[in-house]
Amino acid sequence: MPVGANSKIEWTTHTFNPWWGCTKVSEACKHCYAETWAKRVGQNIWGPKPQRRFMSETHWKQPLKWNRDADGAQERPRVFCASMADVFERRDELLQQTPNLDWLLLTKRPQNVKKMVSWAHEWPTNVWLGVTIELQQRADELLPHLDEIPAKVRFISAEPLLGPLSIQS
């Protein structure tokens, strides 16, 4: 959700959306909460042609403030990035500028990750990478790409879960 500071999502501290919108790529996209939310507030930003809704300069400064506030904190804040988009449609250098925050990046496009980040081989320790897996077919297609990424923390989001999954480690 487009919440921001002090998120009510129990597994993250903040949410940060550099933009809203993306292009559908999987079965899970038929159930996209972000698209539903955007339509509810009058935003037509989904698909290959519509313009994305980009945020203000002030909005982009929020993570810098969270990072300063987190310096020396006992518990590292977590930032769920791009709940209203897919960060791997574009690239964001802000992640490297905020080492006191753990960024949770969730994508349906893990095959794009290495091509889109300048730090593909020396992955920042504060950037976690997750993949949306809704069906076994997607797990078989996408998890090998996730395995190739040297993220400190890698995770799976099975939401919406549209069928049984068998994940082998």
Side-chain angles (χ1 to χ4, degrees), residues 40-52:
R40 195 175 324 160
V41 296
Q43 298 289 315
N44 177 23
I45 50 179
W46 257 258
K49 293 185 181 176
Q51 291 287 330
R52 303 295 180 244

Side-chain angles (χ1 to χ4, degrees), residues 6-160:
N6 305 317
S7 175
K8 293 180 181 169
I9 300 171
E10 62 272 3
W11 45 263
T12 193
T13 313
H14 311 292
T15 58
F16 178 74
N17 287 289
W19 61 88
W20 284 19
C22 71
T23 301
K24 295 179 180 189
V25 295
S26 80
E27 291 83 352
C29 296
K30 294 174 188 168
H31 308 279
C32 181
Y33 72 89
E35 180 182 24
T36 301
W37 181 277
K39 284 181 178 179
R40 195 175 324 160
V41 296
Q43 298 289 315
N44 177 23
I45 50 179
W46 257 258
K49 293 185 181 176
Q51 291 287 330
R52 303 295 180 244
R53 178 184 173 207
F54 288 94
M55 302 304 158
S56 70
E57 193 67 32
T58 301
H59 179 79
W60 278 85
K61 292 178 182 176
Q62 281 184 315
L64 298 172
K65 179 191 179 307
W66 301 337
N67 185 65
R68 286 189 303 273
D69 293 346
D71 189 22
Q74 290 184 354
E75 186 174 328
R76 292 177 62 84
R78 293 187 183 131
V79 180
F80 180 30
C81 185
S83 64
M84 296 296 290
D86 190 323
V87 73
F88 292 106
E89 264 197 335
R90 300 205 188 332
R91 193 169 97 199
D92 178 19
E93 299 300 327
L94 182 62
L95 307 179
Q96 292 178 293
Q97 297 173 15
T98 52
N100 297 314
L101 304 175
D102 288 329
W103 288 87
L104 287 65
L105 306 183
L106 181 62
T107 185
K108 292 180 184 77
R109 299 169 177 86
Q111 68 277 13
N112 293 349
V113 173
K114 284 186 171 181
K115 295 180 274 186
M116 297 184 78
V117 297
S118 60
W119 28 265
H121 299 292
E122 287 190 46
W123 197 269
T125 59
N126 68 322
V127 179
W128 301 8
L129 183 64
V131 175
T132 299
I133 303 292
E134 69 274 15
L135 296 167
Q136 188 64 49
Q137 175 187 348
R138 292 287 178 214
D140 295 342
E141 292 171 10
L142 301 179
L143 289 180
H145 296 289
L146 181 62
D147 285 342
E148 294 176 1
I149 305 299
K152 177 181 173 184
V153 177
R154 292 175 290 183
F155 62 96
I156 295 170
S157 172
E159 188 178 1

